[in-house]
Amino acid sequence: MLLDGWGYQDTHETLNSFNWGPDGWLYGCHGVFTHSRVGKPGTPDADRTPINAGIWRYHPTRHTFEVFAHGTSNPWGVDFDEHGQAFLTSCVIPHLYHVIQGARYERQAGQHFNPYTYDDIKTIADHRHYVGANPHGGNGRSDSAGGGHAHAGAAIYQGGLWPNEYRGSLFMNNIHGARLNRDTLEPRGSGFIGHHAADFLLANDRWSQIVSLRTGPDGQLYLIDWYDQNQCHLTNPVVHDRTNGRVFQVRYGEAKKDPGIDPRKVSPSNSSRC
């Protein structure tokens, strides 16, 4: 065991959504109502790193753990664009954030560990995926806006096989809406604005619970579907169906190999995808 001290006070806000960053660190998410104190086994409590909302990362050879950014709610997806900029998706509070190392973002609840946070960073999204003023009140009636307030997974498409309009788009699952939302990322000043694009895929099945999205080496999109009638907040393990998990491929046109990058021909000026 490399790290321990992960909390599990809530049913679905534990460490999740592992993804390798372009810097070689392993990144992941952590929810707001689970309280962890992370360290190597045997680390005294005073020397552990607390986290209850945010993005963490771990270096695989230096065995260093740190909180990359604090805040949000239940972030369930983190991914990087072609320039190494990080973005996360979350629930209840606005759903999209540009993640800057060391930054502190708005929280669903609770206080920042740093008591001197004058203000925190807000969403980059210029829209919501639910209707009305209350995110929970939008459940079951937000088809026109995107399906609801809760999101899981994040994938910024960088494959070379889909139409150019999808390249650089951020895909996320809308849990209550049983669909994939798509946001486009527009550089603006020192950050980004997230615009709502047309919903990409409808599951047509309320049991569908896609929790992870990734662009594969073949340039297609891969989805991990938890597939369970119960979405969250149920502590009794027997009410969850553990037999139906599945992996989907979303393919554009006929399957073929993504030409990708020939490392023999890459120069420092065009190596952003490496």
Side-chain angles (χ1 to χ4, degrees):
M1 182 182 295
L2 299 175
L3 296 170
D4 64 9
W6 300 102
Y8 48 91
Q9 292 88 354
D10 205 345
T11 56
H12 61 284
E13 298 177 4
T14 55
L15 75 164
N16 67 85
S17 305
F18 303 161
N19 196 6
W20 289 106
D23 54 5
W25 291 67
L26 179 66
Y27 285 75
C29 304
H30 194 290
V32 65
F33 295 122
T34 291
H35 308 281
S36 297
R37 298 188 64 83
V38 183
K40 298 176 182 178
T43 299
D45 185 71
D47 297 329
R48 290 178 172 270
T49 301
I51 182 172
N52 62 16
I55 302 297
W56 55 266
R57 68 177 185 174
Y58 181 75
H59 197 281
T61 58
R62 298 205 299 265
H63 301 296
T64 301
F65 174 85
E66 62 186 31
V67 178
F68 187 73
H70 287 276
T72 77
S73 59
N74 314 329
W76 283 346
V78 59
D79 201 12
F80 303 84
D81 71 7
E82 62 181 348
H83 303 294
Q85 299 291 319
F87 299 84
L88 69 81
T89 63
S90 62
C91 302
V92 184
I93 64 173
H95 65 273
L96 182 63
Y97 297 85
H98 173 213
V99 187
I100 305 164
Q101 185 175 9
R104 295 188 287 277
Y105 296 87
E106 61 181 303
R107 296 173 57 99
Q108 179 185 345
Q111 300 296 318
H112 288 289
F113 291 119
N114 186 330
Y116 303 107
T117 302
Y118 176 73
D119 196 7
D120 42 30
I121 299 174
K122 306 303 188 288
T123 181
I124 65 170
D126 64 359
H127 61 285
R128 303 290 183 267
H129 289 148
Y130 60 88
V131 297
N134 184 325
H136 291 93
N139 291 345
R141 61 185 187 96
S142 295
D143 281 355
S144 62
H149 73 273
H151 306 82
I156 298 176
Y157 182 73
Q158 298 184 58
L161 297 180
W162 286 19
N164 193 56
E165 66 180 288
Y166 295 113
R167 183 169 179 82
S169 294
L170 190 150
F171 295 88
M172 69 204 88
N173 183 52
N174 192 293
I175 296 171
H176 298 299
R179 71 193 68 193
L180 294 189
N181 297 138
R182 179 169 75 95
D183 281 5
T184 58
L185 304 171
E186 177 193 353
R188 179 80 61 86
S190 60
F192 295 81
I193 298 292
H195 303 296
H196 181 53
D199 291 336
F200 177 74
L201 179 152
L202 298 178
N204 297 322
D205 187 342
R206 293 295 179 181
W207 281 42
S208 177
Q209 306 297 335
I210 294 168
V211 295
S212 182
L213 306 84
R214 289 288 182 269
T215 306
D218 57 357
Q220 311 294 356
L221 189 67
Y222 288 82
L223 316 174
I224 295 177
D225 192 345
W226 173 21
Y227 201 76
D228 194 331
Q229 182 180 11
N230 302 298
Q231 296 165 338
C232 58
H233 293 301
L234 295 174
T235 58
N236 184 353
V238 302
V239 302
H240 293 287
D241 188 335
R242 301 175 184 272
T243 66
N244 281 322
R246 56 198 69 185
V247 177
F248 291 105
Q249 180 198 62
V250 181
R251 186 175 69 240
Y252 180 79
E254 295 300 319
K256 57 183 178 180
K257 182 179 179 181
D258 184 344
I261 294 175
D262 184 345
R264 298 167 297 181
K265 300 178 180 179
V266 172
S267 69
S269 62
N270 62 7
S271 59
S272 62
R273 287 182 61 198
C274 290

